[in-house]
Amino acid sequence: MAMFFGESRYIEYKREVPKDSLKYMKSVVAFANGDGGQIIFGVEDNTEKVIGVPAETLFQTMDALTNAVTDSCEPMIIPNIMVREIDEKQIIIMEIMPGMERPYFIKSKGMINGTYIRTAGTTRPADQVILQELILEGRNKFFDQEPVWHGMVADYEIDALCRQLYEIALKNAKTAEQRQAVKRVTKNTLLSWGVLAERQHMVLPTNAYSMLTNTNGLPPLIQCAVFKTENRAIFVDRREITGTVQEQIEKALQYVLEKINMGARFHGIYREDVYELPPDSLRELIANAVVHRSYLEPAPIQIALFANRLEITSPGGLMRGVTVAKMKEGFLKIRNRALASAFAYMNIIEQWGSGIPRIMHECQKYGLPELEIIDLDGDMRVNLYRCTKAKTDQKTDQKTDQKTESNPILTDNEAAIWQILLQKPSCTQKEMAGILRWKPGKIKYHIRNLQAKGRIIRVGSHRKGYWQLVQPEK
């Protein structure tokens, strides 16, 4: 009867107990540095065929395995060793529990060269970034709470940050009750979050303070790009976003909103803008990428808009103990605790893990495909797929008795400008921005597109001219 299904992140097979313990000791420390796992002796790794361990030396082998592990690893790892009989053959199962004193390494190789991690079904050496993260985990520390020893912070700077966080929290509050619940933050609040640290009777900024104020070389930028198709073959536009982490989130969100389609629904004389992707979910996905990424990795967050999806990639991958299935159920493990506290206070993210389930529910209400979360072995990617049907429904909602609104050449944004110019050809770009509640840059972008398509022509001067509309060919 088959009971084995190939090696994985948690299972490794050995045909026999190797004479050289190093051949399995790497996996021992890798399991201890990760989510734990089992090494099963007496099973072929390629065929999963049960070979068995010689019965006459079974107990001596078990003792030898225990001694080898306890003697070879630092800090000490104590394995749980069991025997199981399959098809009248004995196999040895050595179970390694996830350790709390990370990093675990092979003594003879030292911490730098002897630390290993488990990735998918393989064991590999921990690079410098992962080693640093393991050291922080072992000390129960977080990168964003680490003090910047060469940094100095004055009381007036702390007060300025407290005011800014308070104003953002009020701005992002969606209800009167939520606004009422917002209390002012103080230096002591920042100390409790880990945004500031008290060392040797001094108040020091931490990495979180640097990211909230854009100082000491933090945070890294966010790269945004638009591609014409479903891959990176045809590049359309890009932007590098800098500033504080809270500014980066808003700038990145606005970039995406400028590039995606937007429809409109009219309630009597009132116009309601409807984006093809839910803005609240977009903000939270970007915020999650910012707050849960690994800042030990220097690479930027990348936000890429394709013809069929929005792709957000953040450095760091899933934290140990976290799986995609757990995330979808609301399981939470915080990589940057100080930032998470600040973001939750500012009403940017939900601190207690309901963010992903809520985003999935909102996407379902929008008629979008299910949110896709991918562990890329060192990076984390979320794909929010665009829905052609949703776009079609939005265009249908916009239909009026004007013929031009049904023109398939125009995007939703271009059609909105077209309708304004149809009623008032002399309307200025500033006036359009006011009517549509868009930024001037977005108006200019779509005006240029309409001109490039030959659908509008400027007649007269910039100040005193007007727009001539070109009807589509029938």
Side-chain angles (χ1 to χ4, degrees):
M1 180 176 65
M3 64 164 285
F4 302 114
F5 302 96
E7 294 188 330
S8 69
R9 185 176 177 179
Y10 308 101
I11 299 288
E12 184 168 296
Y13 301 120
K14 297 291 183 186
R15 178 186 175 91
E16 58 190 11
V17 178
K19 291 182 179 179
D20 181 4
S21 65
L22 191 63
K23 292 184 177 180
Y24 62 85
M25 208 61 64
K26 294 177 181 178
S27 295
V28 169
V29 297
F31 285 137
N33 284 325
D35 301 323
Q38 294 180 338
I39 303 175
I40 302 177
F41 299 95
V43 177
E44 282 189 336
D45 60 347
N46 293 326
T47 64
E48 287 86 56
K49 180 182 178 182
V50 177
I51 305 298
V53 176
E56 60 272 18
T57 59
L58 184 65
F59 294 108
Q60 295 95 316
T61 301
M62 292 170 64
D63 289 340
L65 286 171
T66 300
N67 292 334
V69 172
T70 55
D71 292 344
S72 301
C73 303
E74 183 74 28
M76 182 184 289
I77 298 172
I78 301 177
N80 180 24
I81 298 183
M82 304 163 280
V83 175
R84 183 170 180 178
E85 184 174 303
I86 299 175
D87 298 333
E88 299 182 349
K89 297 175 182 177
Q90 284 77 35
I91 63 172
I92 295 176
I93 301 174
M94 182 163 66
E95 183 177 32
I96 307 297
M97 302 302 292
M100 302 299 292
E101 299 179 75
R102 299 169 181 173
Y104 292 86
F105 56 93
I106 298 172
K107 284 183 188 177
S108 61
K109 295 171 72 68
M111 182 186 292
I112 294 176
N113 297 317
T115 303
Y116 293 85
I117 60 167
R118 192 75 175 170
T119 302
T122 62
T123 296
R124 65 179 177 88
D127 60 28
Q128 185 178 359
V129 169
I130 292 174
L131 181 58
Q132 285 180 281
E133 197 165 73
L134 288 170
I135 291 171
L136 286 173
E137 286 182 15
R139 293 163 51 200
N140 196 28
K141 300 290 185 181
F142 301 85
F143 170 81
D144 64 335
Q145 293 181 335
E146 290 293 287
V148 180
W149 286 97
H150 63 273
M152 297 295 292
V153 58
D155 284 343
Y156 76 88
E157 294 173 308
I158 295 173
D159 292 340
L161 176 59
C162 289
R163 284 195 303 271
Q164 185 189 61
L165 298 182
Y166 177 72
E167 290 166 2
I168 294 173
L170 289 176
K171 177 185 173 184
N172 290 337
K174 295 179 180 177
T175 64
E177 291 78 11
Q178 205 173 16
R179 286 178 63 87
Q180 220 171 21
V182 176
K183 307 299 181 186
R184 290 188 178 275
V185 292
T186 64
K187 180 194 288 187
N188 287 335
T189 310
L190 300 185
L191 283 167
S192 70
W193 290 348
V195 174
L196 296 174
E198 204 163 16
R199 299 287 189 276
Q200 300 172 3
H201 306 294
M202 295 187 301
V203 174
L204 297 173
T206 64
N207 290 322
Y209 179 92
S210 299
M211 287 186 273
L212 290 164
T213 57
N214 192 21
T215 54
N216 299 311
L218 288 170
L221 56 81
I222 295 178
Q223 292 180 335
C224 297
V226 178
F227 298 91
K228 191 173 182 63
T229 61
E230 295 181 8
N231 56 46
R232 298 175 186 261
I234 304 177
F235 176 80
V236 177
D237 184 61
R238 69 178 176 183
R239 187 177 301 170
E240 291 189 343
I241 294 175
T242 58
T244 66
V245 282
Q246 57 271 33
E247 289 170 345
Q248 287 188 6
I249 291 169
E250 290 306 314
K251 290 177 183 177
L253 174 64
Q254 289 308 312
Y255 180 85
V256 174
L257 293 180
E258 286 175 12
K259 303 303 181 184
I260 63 176
N261 296 311
M262 184 174 69
R265 293 190 179 98
F266 291 92
H267 305 281
I269 62 172
Y270 297 102
R271 181 185 195 278
E272 178 191 3
D273 294 335
V274 181
Y275 288 98
E276 63 168 306
L277 300 175
D280 286 346
S281 294
L282 291 174
R283 175 184 277 106
E284 186 142 15
L285 286 173
I286 295 169
N288 282 343
V290 170
V291 77
H292 294 304
R293 65 156 288 171
S294 170
Y295 284 97
L296 293 168
E297 294 273 6
I301 292 170
Q302 292 188 331
I303 301 175
L305 185 66
F306 297 90
N308 69 329
R309 70 192 186 281
L310 176 72
E311 182 182 279
I312 302 175
T313 307
S314 56
L318 292 175
M319 294 188 69
R320 287 153 190 78
V322 180
T323 64
V324 171
K326 286 181 179 179
M327 287 181 66
K328 290 183 176 181
E329 292 173 0
F331 179 79
L332 178 70
K333 194 170 182 181
I334 298 172
R335 181 177 260 125
N336 298 292
R337 184 167 291 182
L339 281 185
S341 297
F343 280 21
Y345 169 78
M346 290 185 284
N347 295 308
I348 294 175
I349 65 167
E350 166 58 54
Q351 193 174 20
W352 306 114
S354 66
I356 293 297
R358 187 172 59 251
I359 291 168
M360 294 177 66
H361 179 67
E362 190 170 5
C363 290
Q364 188 178 25
K365 283 170 58 180
Y366 251 67
L368 301 174
E370 184 177 345
L371 187 73
E372 185 176 34
I373 304 173
I374 307 171
D375 183 7
L376 294 174
D377 182 21
D379 288 331
M380 170 77 175
R381 176 169 292 166
V382 176
N383 287 329
L384 183 57
Y385 283 89
R386 308 166 80 173
C387 182
T388 304
K389 180 180 183 301
K391 294 179 204 173
T392 303
D393 291 345
Q394 287 178 8
K395 289 178 183 177
T396 302
D397 289 339
Q398 294 179 74
K399 284 184 179 178
T400 66
D401 56 355
Q402 261 94 19
K403 297 184 209 177
T404 54
E405 290 242 343
S406 63
N407 175 21
I409 297 175
L410 300 186
T411 66
D412 294 336
N413 291 339
E414 291 163 359
I417 293 175
W418 176 278
Q419 184 179 352
I420 292 172
L421 295 179
L422 190 67
Q423 298 170 358
K424 186 182 177 183
S426 61
C427 189
T428 66
Q429 293 186 20
K430 184 177 180 180
E431 290 171 336
M432 291 182 219
I435 295 169
L436 295 172
R437 300 192 298 278
W438 293 354
K439 289 187 175 181
K442 184 173 181 180
I443 295 291
K444 289 180 182 178
Y445 173 80
H446 292 296
I447 286 287
R448 284 197 299 268
N449 287 348
L450 285 167
Q451 288 178 292
K453 291 178 178 180
R455 298 303 307 279
I456 59 173
I457 300 171
R458 186 66 183 177
V459 178
S461 67
H462 176 71
R463 288 179 176 273
K464 297 183 179 180
Y466 63 93
W467 294 101
Q468 179 180 323
L469 276 64
V470 179
Q471 295 289 349
E473 295 182 5
K474 296 187 177 180

